[in-house]
Amino acid sequence: MQTLTLTRATNLFSQHQDDRYLGLSNHRLCFLSVHPASPPPLLASKRHRLKLAFVAKAADSTQPSSATTSADKTLVPDDEFTLAKVSFGVIGLGLGISLLSYGFGAYFSIFPGSEWSALMLTYGFPLAVIGMALKYAELKPVPCLTYSDAQSLRETCATPILKQVRNDVIRFRYGDEQHLDEALKRIFQYGLGGGIPRRSAPVLQMIREEVTEDGKYCLVLVFEAKALKLSDFEKRQAKFTSFFGPGITAAVGKGESENLYEVRLISNTSPNVSSS
């Protein structure tokens, strides 16, 4: 194609060379015709198509890695309804006040059912008192963050003590000053020699279920302790292991905030051994 174009340009140049008025036009013809012809549309479309296919393939190759990472850290929503998540103080107080209110209204003929007013007042008053007492002694559950990979390992790798600890702190309790009160009392030895004052005791803020780098189940206890340091937890790391054992290893570390400390209770049961 390029050889034919050059030959044609040479003929045009020799034909119009003697023409004095079109000399500039001859040079323009020679200059424009020397350039090689543009590639056929079919080749151009193939080139663009190959380029687009390469980009699409590169984008697809990066997708599996991000999907795998997000799947490992997917939070499991805690939407399961259990009686442990219900406050009996709220139920008793609400039911008792309702019976008292309607009983007084029926007694003074404001509401119908005056013949039942005595019965409603009789049961409404003790229910309201019991509800107020339960509400006063109530200890609310702490938040629990559970990752999907840790949830699958809980039944097979978590020890019975770890399961009990998790179930105790995520439900309403009555009569306890704080969660894990007995465990913290023995570990930190409130008011004893070498211990800490009770007013400086750490307070459990939340728990977290996750999987360690070597694939073991781990229950993380997050405490808030404004009067303690990381060294106070590190020197009692062995006591955490012995109290929440057997079958676990405790590791102590600093939390995300200034006054937060994490106690990681790692199960020694390997997923491979439990599955076999």
Side-chain angles (χ1 to χ4, degrees):
M1 179 75 67
Q2 186 174 359
T3 305
L4 294 176
T5 306
L6 291 173
T7 305
R8 184 179 179 184
T10 306
N11 296 334
L12 289 174
F13 178 78
S14 59
Q15 180 178 358
H16 298 282
Q17 188 175 7
D18 296 335
D19 195 348
R20 297 179 179 178
Y21 298 100
L22 299 177
L24 183 59
S25 300
N26 293 334
H27 288 291
R28 289 179 180 176
L29 287 173
C30 292
F31 176 75
L32 293 175
S33 59
V34 166
H35 286 281
S38 59
L42 181 60
L43 293 178
S45 61
K46 285 184 177 180
R47 183 181 302 173
H48 289 289
R49 193 176 304 146
L50 290 175
K51 184 177 181 181
L52 291 174
F54 174 78
V55 173
K57 186 175 181 181
D60 293 339
S61 64
T62 58
Q63 290 178 357
S65 60
S66 60
T68 303
T69 304
S70 61
D72 292 340
K73 293 298 181 182
T74 302
L75 285 175
V76 179
D78 188 14
D79 52 1
E80 182 182 1
F81 176 78
T82 58
L83 290 178
K85 299 178 181 179
V86 178
S87 173
F88 293 104
V90 174
I91 294 177
L93 187 61
L95 185 59
I97 292 178
S98 299
L99 290 177
L100 285 176
S101 301
Y102 197 91
F104 277 111
Y107 179 79
F108 291 104
S109 300
I110 300 176
F111 301 127
S114 58
E115 63 275 8
W116 300 100
S117 60
L119 185 63
M120 287 186 286
L121 292 174
T122 302
Y123 287 100
F125 181 75
L127 281 176
V129 173
I130 294 174
M132 286 188 291
L134 290 176
K135 189 64 179 176
Y136 176 78
E138 180 180 270
L139 182 61
K140 295 182 179 180
V142 298
C144 176
L145 297 181
T146 302
Y147 293 103
S148 58
D149 51 356
Q151 185 184 32
S152 60
L153 294 179
R154 183 196 304 156
E155 295 299 327
T156 57
C157 297
T159 63
I161 295 180
L162 292 182
K163 295 178 182 179
Q164 182 181 355
V165 170
R166 177 188 177 274
N167 294 333
D168 286 345
V169 300
I170 62 173
R171 66 180 180 89
F172 284 94
R173 298 182 64 87
Y174 304 93
D176 296 337
E177 294 185 10
Q178 61 172 322
H179 292 286
L180 303 178
D181 187 42
E182 185 64 26
L184 296 176
K185 180 180 179 180
R186 294 186 181 184
I187 293 173
F188 287 94
Q189 298 178 346
Y190 299 154
L192 300 179
I196 63 173
R198 188 176 183 87
R199 61 178 179 273
S200 303
V203 180
L204 184 66
Q205 297 296 317
M206 63 171 293
I207 64 173
R208 187 172 67 248
E209 292 181 287
E210 60 186 21
V211 177
T212 60
E213 295 180 357
D214 53 353
K216 294 183 178 180
Y217 173 84
C218 177
L219 181 65
V220 183
L221 309 178
V222 182
F223 292 97
E224 181 183 14
K226 298 180 180 180
L228 300 180
K229 299 180 181 179
L230 181 60
S231 59
D232 296 325
F233 285 86
E234 291 176 343
K235 67 174 63 175
R236 295 171 175 86
Q237 181 171 318
K239 293 185 178 181
F240 278 103
T241 302
S242 61
F243 187 88
F244 292 103
I248 65 103
T249 301
V252 177
K254 194 72 174 64
E256 297 179 356
S257 301
E258 181 180 359
N259 298 321
L260 293 182
Y261 302 92
E262 295 183 354
V263 178
R264 301 166 60 86
L265 305 178
I266 305 172
S267 174
N268 295 333
T269 304
S270 177
N272 299 328
V273 176
S274 61
S275 61
S276 60

